[in-house]
Amino acid sequence: MMYDTFDNQRSDEIAALLAVASEGSFVAAGRLLQRHPTVVSKRVAALEARLGIRLIERTTRQVRLTDAGAQLTQKLRTAIDLITEAEQEASAGAAEVRGVLRVAFPAAMGRQWLAPMLPAFLEAYPQVSIVADYNERFVDIIAEGFDLAIRMGELHDSRLIAKKLGDHRRILCASPAYIEAHGQPAHPQELADHNCLRFSGFSSYPEWRLTCGEQQQSVLVAGSMTSNDSEALLAAARAGTGILAAGEWLMSRDIAAGKLVRVLPDWQMDAQGGIYLVRPSARFAAASTLAFKSWIEARFNAGLPWQIGEN
C-alpha cells in the first residue's frame, strides 16, 4: 500500500470501526469519538463497501463483529501498537532511563542464560533496578504487573505485544554411556523401547511429537523418571539413566563437553516454537522498558547464547 493512499477518510473509517468494537454500540462509539452515531455508522458502512465484506452485524439492540471484522480489528490494533512503539523508540533517547523494571523469566533457562546477562544491562543503565521473577508457569503479566516477560513455545495471549527473539528447538540427547549400553535409536518409533526421561510440562505429555522436515511422528514414551523440573531430568540424563527431550538451551553445554550426545539428530520436538519478548502494550511504555527491549533484542540478534553446531 502506497503511503499517499492512507488519507483522512480511511483513518476516520478505521477509527469508527475500532470505537464500535471497543464500545459495543454506535451510540457509545459516537460518544467516544465525539461524533453523532449516524456518522459513525456511515463510516463503518463505507469501510465495508470499500473492502467488500461485512464487518459488523447490526440488530435493533446491539452490534456484533463478524469473524472478518474481529480479525481486521485485531490486526489494526496491532498495527497501531507498532506505530506507537516506533514513535516511542524514536523519542526514547530524550527520556531518562530510570525506575524499577519488573521482568518475568522462564525459571531454568532464565537462571542459566538470562541472569548472567543482567549485570551488563544494569551497568549500562545505572538508574534502573530490576525485579526478576523466575517461574516455569506463564505468568499473567497484565494482572501481575510485569513490564516484560521472556516466553518460550507458542503464544496464545492476543492481548500482548510480542517480538520473536529466536527459534526454540527441543532436541533429544543421552549420555555416551547410555548409548553404548542400549544403542542409538534409528527411528522415532524405536523410542518406545527406550528409557525416556519425561518432562510433564510438555503440552503433549506423555507423547513425544517429533518432526523432520515434513515428516511427523508421535510416540507414547515411558521411562523410570518423570518430573516437572527440566534440570532434574538433565542430571539423570548425564548419569546415563535415559534419553531426554528438552530445549537446546538446556543441553548445549553438556553436548559441547561430551557429556551428552544427540539422539535422532535429524528430528526435533515442537518445531514451531519460539523465544519471545512480550509486554502488555506498546502504549505508554516507560523508557526503561524500551531500553531493555532494545538491549535484549541486540543480544539475541548477535546469536542465541546457547547455539550449537549440528551434531
Side-chain angles (χ1 to χ4, degrees):
M1 181 180 67
M2 297 298 292
Y3 296 119
D4 56 4
T5 66
F6 200 85
D7 53 21
N8 288 337
Q9 179 181 345
R10 297 180 72 177
S11 298
D12 289 344
E13 293 169 358
I14 289 171
L17 174 64
L18 293 178
V20 173
S22 65
E23 301 302 309
S25 74
F26 289 108
V27 173
R31 285 197 296 266
L32 179 66
L33 297 176
Q34 297 183 334
R35 295 289 186 272
H36 195 276
T38 57
V39 174
V40 177
S41 179
K42 288 179 180 179
R43 288 175 178 172
V44 173
L47 178 59
E48 291 176 322
R50 182 163 55 81
L51 298 179
I53 55 174
R54 181 167 292 277
L55 302 172
I56 292 177
E57 297 289 355
R58 301 158 174 83
T59 69
T60 55
R61 294 186 177 181
Q62 63 179 2
V63 297
R64 183 184 66 83
L65 291 173
T66 64
D67 289 343
Q71 292 178 10
L72 178 60
T73 298
Q74 180 60 45
K75 289 185 177 181
L76 289 172
R77 286 170 175 162
T78 300
I80 291 171
D81 280 336
L82 290 174
I83 292 170
T84 304
E85 177 181 296
E87 292 175 342
Q88 289 179 334
E89 289 186 347
S91 62
E96 186 176 8
V97 181
R98 62 183 305 159
V100 178
L101 186 66
R102 301 193 69 231
V103 188
F105 295 125
M109 191 270 272
R111 287 193 299 265
Q112 286 192 27
W113 296 104
L114 301 177
M117 297 181 182
L118 297 183
F121 175 79
L122 294 172
E123 182 177 358
Y125 298 96
Q127 298 301 312
V128 175
S129 61
I130 290 179
V131 176
D133 180 275
Y134 295 86
N135 206 310
E136 291 298 355
R137 70 181 177 88
F138 274 16
V139 300
D140 187 333
I141 66 174
I142 295 175
E144 298 178 44
F146 287 98
D147 300 299
L148 299 154
I150 301 292
R151 289 189 172 169
M152 298 187 296
E154 297 184 20
L155 295 183
H156 303 288
D157 193 339
S158 62
R159 300 173 301 167
L160 304 178
I161 304 300
K163 168 70 176 182
K164 187 174 182 180
L165 299 176
D167 293 325
H168 178 216
R169 296 203 307 166
R170 291 190 177 103
I171 59 177
L172 281 67
C173 288
S175 72
Y178 179 88
I179 297 300
E180 183 178 355
H182 302 279
Q184 170 80 264
H187 188 272
Q189 293 302 323
E190 295 181 18
L191 292 170
D193 300 322
H194 281 265
N195 192 36
C196 294
L197 306 172
R198 302 183 300 175
F199 178 62
S200 59
F202 284 152
S203 60
S204 63
Y205 173 85
E207 287 184 327
W208 284 1
R209 296 172 183 170
L210 305 174
T211 63
C212 176
E214 297 298 319
Q215 300 180 69
Q216 296 183 350
Q217 293 286 325
S218 180
V219 187
L220 183 63
V221 297
S224 59
M225 185 173 178
T226 301
S227 177
N228 65 345
D229 188 287
S230 57
E231 291 172 302
L233 295 172
L234 176 63
R238 284 194 200 112
T241 304
I243 297 174
L244 175 61
E248 181 182 28
W249 59 267
L250 181 70
M251 300 187 285
S252 62
R253 287 188 176 121
D254 287 296
I255 293 173
K259 296 178 181 178
L260 294 176
V261 295
R262 291 284 301 273
V263 172
L264 297 171
D266 294 331
W267 295 79
Q268 60 178 300
M269 295 181 65
D270 301 329
Q272 299 303 314
I275 303 158
Y276 297 90
L277 175 72
V278 298
R279 55 199 179 104
S281 174
R283 296 175 184 148
F284 311 116
S288 58
T289 300
L290 296 175
F292 188 87
K293 173 183 176 292
S294 297
W295 178 83
I296 196 75
E297 285 178 0
R299 298 296 293 262
F300 274 79
N301 286 340
L304 297 177
W306 53 83
Q307 207 158 39
I308 57 175
E310 296 296 326
N311 292 282

